[in-house]
Amino acid sequence: MFFSEKDSAGALIDYVGAVSGGLQLVPNDNALASLALDYARMLEDGLLPGDAEPFEALLEQCRDLEARANKVK
């Protein structure tokens, strides 16, 4: 079951695309830089455990999941 939701630009999220090979978990450009900065600040502020994975390691896991989810069967 999906609920109508909008992205940060106000456009409706394309759920069909997300389940038919168009899922994007890892943003690009400025959004990715903003996430990296936010993650670093959360680490600095102690909001994440001291043994939290490096940001790039998390991105690799997300890229792998994205690729597997988007693999056409």
Side-chain angles (χ1 to χ4, degrees):
M1 174 182 271
F2 295 113
F3 298 95
S4 180
E5 189 63 44
K6 295 181 181 177
D7 65 15
S8 61
L12 285 175
I13 293 176
D14 178 12
Y15 290 112
V16 173
V19 295
S20 61
L23 179 66
Q24 182 181 4
L25 296 175
V26 179
N28 47 35
D29 303 327
N30 293 338
L32 186 56
S34 293
L35 282 177
L37 181 59
D38 188 48
Y39 191 82
R41 288 180 176 161
M42 287 191 296
L43 282 172
E44 290 172 7
D45 291 343
L47 297 173
L48 300 173
D51 61 349
E53 293 190 63
F55 183 70
E56 192 57 41
L58 290 175
L59 284 183
E60 282 307 311
Q61 292 176 32
C62 289
R63 285 184 183 109
D64 178 60
L65 180 60
E66 182 179 289
R68 288 186 288 133
N70 287 330
K71 187 175 182 180
V72 177
K73 294 183 181 181

